[in-house]
Structures are given as structure tokens and as C-alpha cells.
Amino acid sequence: MKIGIDRLSFFIPNLFLDMTELANRRGDDPAKYHIGIGQDQMAVNQVFEDIVTLGANAASKIVTEEDREKIDMVIVGTESGIDQSKASAVIIHHLLKVQPFARSFEVKEACYGGTAALHMAKEYVKNHPDRKVLVIASDIARYGLASAGEVTQGVGAVAMMITQNPRILSLEDHSVFLTEDIYDFWRPSYSQYPVVDGPLSNSTYIESFQKVWNRYKETTGRTLADFDALTFHIPYTKMGKKALQSVIEETDEATQTRLMSRYEEGITYSRRIGNLYTGSLYLGLISLLENSQALKAGDRIGLFSYGSGAVSEFFSGYLEADYQNFLFKEENQAMLDNREALTVDQYEEIFNQTLPGHGESAEYHSDLPYSIYKVENDIRFYKEK
């Protein structure tokens, strides 16, 4: 039985900041951001956009009336939870009008959460082949104004419908995963922003990839030449490239050229959006599928997922016939091109806005299909499509 991604979409806010503008304000050389980090633009959300609205807007593109009756699970992978108890998936389940006899919950392990959700969904569909699972990876990556990580911020959500006989990507069964207790990036409950050891995080990312990749080779007998493309978790676009370059000499020149070319296609959207945390790997997958002219049905794609702390996994899938017909290439390009550019002053003003605290209330107006329209008595009320 084939199980995998039947439909795939993403959503980002309608605002962005150009990295040249930010570099100039912070007194940095723009090349440091555009070339050294590999980021050109950063998606910016307004206060009435959170992981619920991002996730619901992403998922609404792919959830049909038939799906609403067949979805048995709504899983949100996130490290930007809005409540210490109630899962964002419960609210999204309601907003999307999914049938009531379903499981809805969140999964957390830094940027790995979306991958954990994907594999849980795959196992469920394997045992219930006539049912479906909606997986959403939704996050708001923030490090603080003028912080070292500011240039790697971003926001957005990716939604995936997991079914049997998928029309985009069938997932293969073999994968290799790794857990190590490392404090490279974490966010204590008392802290608004994460604590980051940048050099340790970078080295742990690369070492984790090498460990799972070497183990994968040992257990499958496959090499880089067996893959038509590799996609990576993308905290910033140069990070995955460093990991790929650390093993690329294992293979022949033609394979090196192929994999590096596909990598560049896979970061096209991330360069314009920034870090999606749990959604970054899957935004890269969408970018690869929508920007590559070289891929075809049957091609094998390797996926490396990494979540600080640290959990990582390497797994694979192969493309289905006519997968291009089930993407949203033109719509996604328009979403990127039609955004409003912010000045640094506007960005900083939006960044500092917060929702009302305990005992306070506020109302908001937005043209988004799903958004927060009111906060009252510590409850966020969401506009329904």
C-alpha cells in the first residue's frame, strides 16, 4: 500500500521586510544577509495572525467537503504554542469544520515536530486506509529586535493531507532517526525568545545529518546517486547547503551537480520567507516541486528533518505521476509577489505589538479568511471562513 502526501500547501502573511533594509539599519553589510546567511526577505505577521490562523489558512486550500468527513486526525507540529494546555489543532479542527469524531493535538520537539506528525499520520493511514490525516506545521520564528538571530526570523504554515494512494509523494518505509540531549537552542517557559548557542547549533545540525545519513547508507545500501534531490530543514538557506556539502564528495560529479542544483531550487521560497521552524523542511519540498523543471514521476527525494535539542531524521519518498497538477504554483507565486513591503520602522512597530493581557480586550479587522477578530476574557475569537 502506498501512503504519503496527497495534497500540499503553505500560507504566509501579506507583509515582508527586505534584508537590505534591515542590514542598513543594523549597520551590517547587506552581503552578510543575502550571501552569508542566504536570506533576501523575511515574512512578518500582524498581531491578529497566530499559528491557528496561519495553519487554518494553509489547510483551507487543500481540505475539501469529502475530506471533512474522512479526516480522523488533525495534528499540528509547532514550537509556537498559544496555550500550555489546549492544542491549536482543536481550534483548527473547529474552524475547518472537520467531522467531530477525530483526534486533534499538538506535537512538540523544536523544528522536528512537523516530521513527527507526518510519520504518526502515515502509521494511522496504514492501519485505516480509507481515512485521512491532516498535518499542519505552523510557527512564528522570533529572536528579538537587533538580536543575532533576527535575520533568520520568519513566519508561516505548511499543510499536508496524508492518504493512501497519494497524488504527490509516496513515503518509503525505511528511515533513520537520532536523539541526543544537547542545549543548542531552547526556549524556557519564562522566556519570550529562545536561547541559542549559534556555533553549537550549526555544528550539531551538520553532525546530526552526517550520523543519520551514514546510518541510512549502512542499513539500505543506498548512496547519494540513488537520489534525484535532497531537501533539508532550512533555519536559514545556507544551513542545509553546509550539511549537503559535508557529504557531497562521496559521489560522482554528475550527481554532485544534480543535487546542488535541486538544493537551490528547494530554497527559492525560503529565501523570500525565512524560517518556518516545523514547516521549513516542507516549505523547501514545495519550493523544490514548484521550481524544478528536472524532476519527474518516480524520482526519489531524500528529506532531512532536524529539531534542536536534538532530534533528527532522514527519510525518503518518490514522486507520483502528474504530481505537478496537484500543486499551487501560480497561486503561491502570486502570494509571494503581492505582499506589501515594510520599512524597518513599520516592522519594528508591528513586532512590538501584543495581544491584550489578562482582563483586557481588543477587536481586530482583517481581510484574511481566518484571523483573530477579538480577544476577551483571555480567549481568542477567530473569524471563520
Side-chain angles (χ1 to χ4, degrees):
M1 181 194 309
K2 295 195 293 186
I3 301 171
I5 301 172
D6 185 65
R7 270 157 290 156
L8 181 65
S9 65
F10 77 92
F11 178 83
I12 53 173
N14 194 41
L15 302 175
F16 76 93
L17 178 66
D18 186 272
M19 290 296 94
T20 297
E21 298 292 325
L22 183 62
N24 290 336
R25 173 63 67 87
R26 300 296 183 241
D28 292 326
D29 182 349
K32 175 183 176 182
Y33 293 7
H34 292 286
I35 301 174
I37 302 296
Q39 296 300 139
D40 297 325
Q41 299 172 345
M42 174 204 303
V44 178
N45 66 298
Q46 300 195 67
V47 70
F48 50 76
E49 296 175 281
D50 63 9
I51 60 169
V52 169
T53 69
L54 296 166
N57 283 310
S60 66
K61 300 180 184 180
I62 64 174
V63 174
T64 67
E65 286 301 322
E66 178 186 357
D67 293 331
R68 289 182 171 89
E69 296 303 317
K70 290 192 173 184
I71 293 172
D72 276 358
M73 298 170 69
V74 179
I75 314 175
V76 174
T78 186
E79 56 179 281
S80 310
I82 61 171
D83 190 283
Q84 296 280 40
S85 178
K86 185 173 182 176
S88 57
V90 172
I91 308 171
I92 293 174
H93 168 276
H94 166 75
L95 292 175
L96 297 179
K97 299 177 175 60
V98 174
Q99 60 91 13
F101 297 99
R103 294 171 176 156
S104 299
F105 55 94
E106 284 183 8
V107 175
K108 182 184 78 173
E109 177 16 57
C111 299
Y112 176 76
T115 297
L118 173 63
H119 288 293
M120 293 173 73
K122 176 174 176 281
E123 292 304 312
Y124 184 83
V125 173
K126 183 181 294 185
N127 292 319
H128 306 83
D130 61 332
R131 309 301 291 175
K132 302 181 180 184
V133 179
L134 175 61
V135 171
I136 297 170
S138 183
D139 270 304
I140 299 172
R142 284 191 165 191
Y143 297 92
L145 297 177
S147 65
E150 183 179 32
V151 66
T152 66
Q153 295 178 146
V155 56
V158 174
M160 299 176 276
M161 190 69 70
I162 310 306
T163 71
Q164 70 164 331
N165 299 321
R167 293 174 290 184
I168 296 178
L169 186 76
S170 287
L171 296 171
E172 297 186 291
D173 285 333
H174 192 83
S175 66
V176 172
F177 26 86
L178 174 73
T179 295
E180 297 179 294
D181 187 10
I182 299 172
Y183 279 88
D184 60 323
F185 169 110
W186 71 104
R187 193 170 78 189
S189 297
Y190 58 79
S191 178
Q192 181 180 3
Y193 303 121
V195 180
V196 186
D197 183 333
L200 178 60
S201 187
N202 290 342
S203 62
T204 302
Y205 178 107
I206 294 173
E207 290 167 7
S208 294
F209 171 66
Q210 292 171 342
K211 289 175 182 177
V212 294
W213 169 244
N214 288 333
R215 177 80 169 181
Y216 183 88
K217 289 190 298 181
E218 292 173 4
T219 54
T220 65
R222 290 176 180 166
T223 67
L224 291 174
D226 292 305
F227 291 88
D228 297 281
L230 295 181
T231 56
F232 291 77
H233 167 56
I234 311 169
Y236 56 93
T237 66
K238 274 297 185 69
M239 187 69 257
K241 189 173 187 177
K242 292 177 182 178
L244 178 55
Q245 288 174 329
S246 75
V247 302
I248 200 72
E249 295 299 327
E250 296 176 0
T251 192
D252 60 90
E253 187 174 336
T255 300
Q256 291 183 29
T257 300
R258 179 178 73 247
L259 295 180
M260 294 305 299
S261 296
R262 300 294 83 74
Y263 181 83
E264 293 299 327
E265 293 160 353
I267 62 172
T268 301
Y269 291 163
S270 292
R271 290 191 68 97
R272 301 182 63 183
I273 296 170
N275 193 355
L276 265 61
Y277 282 163
T278 54
S280 291
L281 168 61
Y282 302 100
L283 177 64
L285 176 62
I286 296 172
S287 180
L288 171 68
L289 299 185
E290 294 186 353
N291 289 289
S292 178
Q293 301 299 314
L295 293 174
K296 61 185 183 305
D299 281 356
R300 177 179 287 123
I301 298 174
L303 300 97
F304 173 65
S305 182
Y306 175 80
S308 291
V311 177
S312 56
E313 182 165 355
F314 185 85
F315 60 105
S316 62
Y318 55 89
L319 293 171
E320 291 296 332
D322 302 319
Y323 72 89
Q324 300 94 333
N325 296 335
F326 304 101
L327 301 172
F328 297 90
K329 181 177 180 179
E330 293 181 0
E331 182 177 341
N332 289 337
Q333 193 62 52
M335 181 169 57
L336 285 162
D337 292 343
N338 294 334
R339 294 177 298 166
E340 177 185 345
L342 297 173
T343 65
V344 177
D345 287 340
Q346 290 172 324
Y347 150 70
E348 291 183 343
E349 180 182 356
I350 291 172
F351 189 98
N352 285 321
Q353 292 176 352
T354 60
L355 291 173
H358 181 63
E360 300 175 337
S361 62
E363 294 188 5
Y364 304 95
H365 302 280
S366 166
D367 294 330
L368 291 170
Y370 299 100
S371 65
I372 299 172
Y373 73 85
K374 181 173 66 173
V375 177
E376 190 173 69
N377 297 324
D378 299 327
I379 300 174
R380 302 183 187 192
F381 293 88
Y382 295 91
K383 181 178 70 175
E384 302 180 33
K385 187 175 179 180

